């Protein structure tokens, strides 16, 4: 199947690995922010004051963080040399931890 | 008469399910990635991102403008966990689904037929979208049922129900 590939191991483009790591960080940040705003009323009120709803602010912050981190990590090209399997693993672990973290938080909160 | 609230809510769920199906399409096509289906994979990834974004916008608008009365109903009914657990988890997990959906078109720009690592990545991203997206859909159904049960509970409280004689159970 990989007949067109040279002997070097397959790599991901800088933009791909950069945005994958940006997504992993954003998803974890999203869970931490959800927990933080629930346990810190001033933070929730501040987020509410920005867009009339804390959830709207959180969504916009997530979007900006994903785009910003994605561009920064892509331009820095530090992620380009990362093992692609590790990049995929980081994303899977981040999403699973974030989802489980949210479920546990709201089960106990 | 269908209200705008109902239209927005149904559009939200429909966009979400369509996004999950498009992500499943990406997953299946990627299993047998070759130059001939690269265009289809990229198109399906863009559809996933578009559907999930529209679902996010519709769901967000409905949540901010129409949900508060339903939240009050749920919290006063027999299933308060429909909000306290399912809605709270869903509203934050859906943001993660949207981020993954926006990531998918970027990952499908790789030469999937020639790069096994990129194939694994696309399978992981699309698989995560399907699993988390369907979990969010299921949570939506439970929230909806929480409202229904609260309304039924209110309607039946203190009400005298007429039961046809043929359905009555006679105890001796």
């Amino acid at each position: 199947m990989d007949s067109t590939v040279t002997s070097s191991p397959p790599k991901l483009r800088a933009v791909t690995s950069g945005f994958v790591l940006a997504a992993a960080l954003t998803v974890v940040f999203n869970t931490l922010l959800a927990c933080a705003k629930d346990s810190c009323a001033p933070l929730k009120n501040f987020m509410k004051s920005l867009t009339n709803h804390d959830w709207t602010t959180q969504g916009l912050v997530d979007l900006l963080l994903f785009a910003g981190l994605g561009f920064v990590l892509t331009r820095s090209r530090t992620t380009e040399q990362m093992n692609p399997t590790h990049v995929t693993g980081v994303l899977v672990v981040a999403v699973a931890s974030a989802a489980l973290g949210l479920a546990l938080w709201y089960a106990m909160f | 008469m269908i209200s705008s609230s109902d239209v927005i809510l149904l559009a939200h769920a429909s966009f979400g399910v369509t996004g999950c199906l498009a992500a499943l399409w990406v997953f299946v096509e990627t299993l047998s990635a070759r130059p001939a289906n690269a265009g289809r994979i990229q198109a399906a990834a863009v559809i996933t991102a578009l559907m999930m974004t529209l679902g996010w916008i519709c769901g967000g608008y409905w949540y901010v403008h129409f949900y508060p009365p339903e939240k009050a109903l749920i919290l006063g009914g027999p299933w308060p966990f429909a909000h306290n657990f399912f809605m709270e988890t869903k509203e934050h997990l859906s943001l993660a689904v949207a981020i993954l959906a926006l990531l998918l078109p970027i990952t499908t720009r790789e030469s999937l037929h020639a790069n096994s690592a990129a194939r694994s990545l696309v399978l992981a991203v699309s698989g995560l979208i399907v699993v988390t997206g369907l979990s969010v859909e299921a949570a939506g159904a439970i929230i909806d049922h929480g409202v229904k049960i609260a309304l039924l509970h209110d309607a039946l409280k203190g009400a005298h129900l007429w039961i046809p004689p043929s359905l009555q159970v006679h105890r001796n």
Side-chain angles (χ1 to χ4, degrees):
Chain A
M1 186 174 276
D2 290 343
S3 58
T4 56
V5 185
T6 59
S7 57
S8 61
K11 292 278 182 190
L12 298 173
R13 294 178 307 150
V15 66
T16 303
S17 48
F19 273 91
V20 169
L21 288 181
L25 290 169
T26 304
V27 164
V28 171
F29 168 82
N30 177 59
T31 293
L32 294 176
L33 185 58
C35 300
K37 72 177 183 181
D38 282 339
S39 52
C40 178
L43 175 63
K44 191 168 191 168
N45 291 335
F46 171 70
M47 290 172 68
K48 203 177 282 187
S49 71
L50 295 177
T51 60
N52 285 331
H53 205 293
D54 56 282
W55 182 83
T56 310
T57 304
Q58 182 160 355
L60 292 174
V61 169
D62 283 349
L63 204 55
L64 290 173
L65 187 67
F66 171 61
L69 278 175
F71 282 114
V72 168
L73 291 170
T74 300
R75 292 195 69 159
S76 73
R77 307 190 82 86
T78 50
T79 57
E80 204 173 15
Q81 297 307 314
M82 280 185 72
N83 182 330
T85 309
H86 293 170
V87 173
T88 304
V90 165
L91 180 70
V92 172
V93 170
V95 173
S97 308
L100 191 64
L102 282 172
L104 285 174
W105 177 257
Y106 289 112
M108 294 185 296
F109 187 71
Chain B
M1 181 72 179
I2 299 176
S3 66
S4 60
S5 161
D6 293 332
V7 171
I8 294 167
L9 186 61
L10 292 173
H12 160 62
S14 303
F15 284 133
V17 170
T18 311
C20 288
L21 289 175
L24 184 62
W25 180 15
V26 171
F27 187 92
V28 173
E29 292 267 16
T30 304
L31 286 173
S32 58
R34 54 195 186 280
N37 70 353
R40 276 204 306 275
I41 292 173
Q42 288 169 12
V46 170
I47 291 170
T48 304
L50 188 65
M51 290 297 114
M52 288 303 189
T53 303
L54 289 172
W56 184 8
I57 292 169
C58 290
Y61 186 84
W62 184 87
Y63 176 69
V64 170
H65 291 91
F66 299 110
Y67 181 61
E70 297 203 4
K71 175 183 171 182
L73 269 174
I74 293 171
L75 292 178
W79 275 25
F81 59 84
H83 171 81
N84 292 334
F85 179 72
F86 287 101
M87 179 52 110
E88 291 285 6
T89 305
K90 172 187 151 76
E91 73 179 65
H92 295 104
L93 187 58
S94 63
L95 296 173
V97 179
I99 295 296
L100 289 171
L102 293 173
L103 173 68
L104 191 60
I106 297 170
T107 61
T108 55
R109 301 293 294 178
E110 298 276 350
S111 298
L112 300 181
H113 63 282
N115 188 335
S116 59
R119 270 200 308 279
S120 299
L121 174 63
V122 172
L123 288 173
V125 176
S126 55
L128 285 170
I129 293 171
V130 173
V131 172
T132 52
L134 290 179
S135 303
V136 164
E137 289 285 342
I142 291 168
I143 295 157
D144 195 46
H145 202 65
V147 177
K148 182 181 170 183
I149 284 186
L151 287 171
L152 282 172
H153 187 255
D154 275 358
L156 296 177
K157 204 186 298 177
H160 175 74
L161 279 183
W162 180 79
I163 302 171
S166 59
L167 297 178
Q168 288 180 13
V169 178
H170 298 283
R171 295 193 180 122
N172 293 322

